[in-house]
Amino acid sequence: MPTDRFVTTITLPWPPSKLSRNGSQADYSGKARSARLYRSDALVCALRDARGVTVGDGPIMLDITFCAPDNRRRDLDNLLAMSKQAIDAVAEVLKVDDYRFEYTLRRGDVSKGGKVVVRV
């Protein structure tokens, strides 16, 4: 995959475990609070890394690498779901509707604290 297809790299925080679909669904208010905080943290990161970036019409490819904070096994589909608020923040900064996003998902190296690296 040629790297010149991507115009910027956005480094986002690791999503909180409360956003996992595999966890307990009983704490709705805690999950909602975690989602709001994660979105606001991701928005700050996206503004830092992608302010002023413009994208054309049509689909927008996001190459997403999940660098977990530890060696536990995680499903990529659940990681994508946990990162929904961060992806919404990226869409907001790019001033696009997130329905245009297409994804490539991969696991990266373990990183202290974890991170989600999005190439746009």
Side-chain angles (χ1 to χ4, degrees):
M1 177 177 340
T3 56
D4 57 6
R5 285 182 30 194
F6 300 102
V7 294
T8 192
T9 299
I10 303 168
T11 303
L12 302 168
W14 186 254
S17 59
K18 281 196 179 231
L19 300 181
S20 174
R21 291 184 175 178
N22 295 334
S24 170
Q25 299 301 315
D27 184 16
Y28 298 113
S29 64
K31 184 173 183 175
R33 186 173 30 261
S34 291
R36 277 192 310 274
L37 289 172
Y38 184 52
R39 181 183 168 97
S40 66
D41 290 347
L43 187 59
V44 168
C45 294
L47 282 168
R48 176 195 66 215
D49 295 342
R51 182 178 294 209
V53 171
T54 57
V55 292
D57 296 333
I60 301 167
M61 177 57 85
L62 296 185
D63 181 68
I64 304 174
T65 304
F66 297 98
C67 301
D70 54 45
N71 285 317
R72 283 187 281 172
R73 293 171 40 148
R74 294 171 171 89
D75 298 336
L76 285 174
D77 58 336
N78 190 44
L79 290 172
L80 179 62
M82 290 172 65
S83 301
K84 179 179 181 0
Q85 287 75 22
I87 292 168
D88 288 346
V90 170
E92 183 178 334
V93 169
L94 295 177
K95 297 180 172 99
V96 298
D97 192 326
D98 64 351
Y99 83 94
R100 293 178 53 196
F101 290 157
E102 295 181 0
Y103 307 98
T104 301
L105 307 175
R106 68 188 82 230
R107 291 176 189 85
D109 295 331
V110 172
S111 174
K112 184 174 182 175
K115 62 184 176 182
V116 179
V117 180
V118 179
R119 293 188 312 155
V120 180

